[in-house]
Amino acid sequence: LALLLPQCEVVCVDLKKWSLDLLHRRVDGVVANGDGNEDVEDLDKNTQNGQHKQPCNSNIFQVSQKVPNLSSYLGSIQSYTDDFDIGISLHACGEASDCVLRKCLEKKASWVVCSCCCGKLRRDALNPYTFQSTGGNEKEVLYPQSKTLASFMSTKVENNRNCDDESIRRVESAKRFDEIAKAADYSELGDVRKPRNACRRAAKSLVEWDRLLYCKEYDAADNTVHVVLTRMVPWESSTKNDILMGWYDPSCNPYRYRGVSDVCKRNGDSVSNMPPDDPSPQVDFQIALQHLFGGTSHENGKDSV
């Protein structure tokens, strides 16, 4: 990104010093905050010896020596205080994706987030990467995040249990979300399009929509934020192929030229369009409902959606 966009400043944020050491080694031939005498084999030995698991106790900026618009920040996304225009996150583990989204909302920045490891959103799940870098594993985000999904789950709990205690309803809702998060965490690339994986894809869609609904609710008075849930193309690019996008400024809308003539493009006319609806999630939900509550969802031999 830094090479493709020389007019932009690119800052890589990570809790793991090893990752940033590798970044600077590849770009500059030096180790972050080091003297450059350590080679990749030495870094690998440090990894094997567990030195990459040292807790991150300081927030350190390091500017690339060879790519002046590239720098790194050793620390958590929560502790990053500088303003920025767009946040990009690829497979940030567990609630790290939500920390990115919240930081983008705080800064009113656009975002492109591809989440990962939904199973680690469960209350009883621990994240070794967070523990290795910080020495702690306390959850910072409560799920479900959005009032919409939380209200729906609370209603279902209330209908099934004669309970007027809001705290108990919240706990029961969290338990239900734990099950959704567990189902949403899959990694079999061969099942990405198959109906037998529809329940997991439907669960993943619920997790991602909870995130986008939270973004819409973050500042309900501000109607300028736009959110989109899409997928990598092809789906087989990754089992974690859902992409969350959001923007405030219409000029940042990646779909603004969709369907616009070349003349409009040349003239720079601003046309705000949104992507067409993707019917595949609805198909997944129908298959999941049939699978969970009776009936068959597809004929033998028809094993793709």
Side-chain angles (χ1 to χ4, degrees):
L1 285 175
L3 292 175
L4 291 173
L5 303 170
Q7 75 279 15
C8 299
E9 180 183 355
V10 178
V11 182
C12 297
V13 180
D14 207 304
L15 272 174
K16 300 187 291 295
K17 185 178 182 298
W18 156 255
S19 298
L20 299 183
D21 282 346
L22 184 59
L23 180 152
H24 287 280
R25 181 69 190 186
R26 288 177 173 176
V27 175
D28 300 327
V30 299
V31 177
N33 306 298
D35 56 12
N37 295 322
E38 192 172 16
D39 59 25
V40 174
E41 291 185 2
D42 291 332
L43 293 175
D44 289 337
K45 290 178 181 178
N46 289 341
T47 301
Q48 295 171 4
N49 295 333
Q51 293 183 26
H52 70 300
K53 299 180 180 181
Q54 296 298 320
C56 173
N57 297 319
S58 58
N59 304 320
I60 302 173
F61 277 99
Q62 175 84 3
V63 180
S64 169
Q65 297 179 5
K66 295 183 179 179
V67 184
N69 63 320
L70 174 65
S71 59
S72 65
Y73 175 79
L74 177 60
S76 67
I77 186 65
Q78 299 94 313
S79 65
Y80 186 81
T81 58
D82 287 5
D83 292 334
F84 56 93
D85 299 301
I86 181 170
I88 301 175
S89 169
L90 176 61
H91 294 161
C93 197
E95 70 175 9
S97 292
D98 296 300
C99 293
V100 172
L101 288 172
R102 294 183 179 211
K103 180 59 70 171
C104 290
L105 290 168
E106 174 190 329
K107 298 294 185 179
K108 286 191 176 296
S110 302
W111 66 82
V112 179
V113 171
C114 180
S115 66
C116 187
C117 300
C118 288
K120 291 178 182 175
L121 302 180
R122 292 163 35 230
R123 291 167 301 160
D124 61 345
L126 301 178
N127 191 332
Y129 300 112
T130 301
F131 181 79
Q132 291 166 7
S133 299
T134 67
N137 228 322
E138 294 77 14
K139 298 288 185 182
E140 296 193 20
V141 180
L142 297 178
Y143 300 92
Q145 299 182 81
S146 69
K147 296 177 182 177
T148 303
L149 186 58
S151 175
F152 174 78
M153 289 185 167
S154 294
T155 300
K156 294 304 178 183
V157 170
E158 188 175 3
N159 289 342
N160 291 333
R161 294 184 58 182
N162 185 17
C163 177
D164 295 325
D165 191 328
E166 176 63 27
S167 61
I168 294 180
R169 286 202 298 269
R170 179 71 190 184
V171 170
E172 292 299 320
S173 296
K175 287 181 180 179
R176 289 170 180 243
F177 188 89
D178 285 349
E179 295 304 316
I180 293 174
K182 181 178 179 180
D185 202 7
Y186 62 92
S187 57
E188 292 297 328
L189 193 60
D191 291 341
V192 163
R193 294 181 185 267
K194 295 182 179 178
R196 66 187 178 205
N197 207 39
C199 288
R200 292 188 176 275
R201 289 198 300 270
K204 183 70 160 50
S205 294
L206 284 174
V207 171
E208 304 302 353
W209 270 109
D210 178 52
R211 285 171 161 147
L212 291 189
L213 287 170
Y214 173 83
C215 293
K216 292 290 288 185
E217 296 168 358
Y218 179 82
D219 188 356
D222 186 354
N223 294 321
T224 61
V225 63
H226 299 276
V227 297
V228 168
L229 174 60
T230 184
R231 281 194 178 109
M232 295 180 182
V233 177
W235 290 8
E236 290 79 8
S237 299
S238 171
T239 53
K240 324 294 186 182
N241 55 22
D242 291 300
I243 302 175
L244 300 91
M245 295 191 294
W247 61 90
Y248 289 87
D249 189 336
S251 66
C252 297
N253 182 353
Y255 302 99
R256 65 188 181 279
Y257 290 132
R258 183 180 175 273
V260 182
S261 67
D262 290 337
V263 174
C264 290
K265 289 182 183 179
R266 287 197 299 270
N267 293 338
D269 295 340
S270 177
V271 180
S272 178
N273 285 333
M274 296 297 283
D277 290 337
D278 181 0
S280 57
Q282 185 65 27
V283 174
D284 286 341
F285 275 101
Q286 291 298 325
I287 295 174
L289 288 172
Q290 292 178 14
H291 174 73
L292 294 172
F293 300 106
T296 57
S297 58
H298 61 284
E299 300 175 8
N300 292 334
K302 295 182 178 181
D303 207 20
S304 64
V305 177

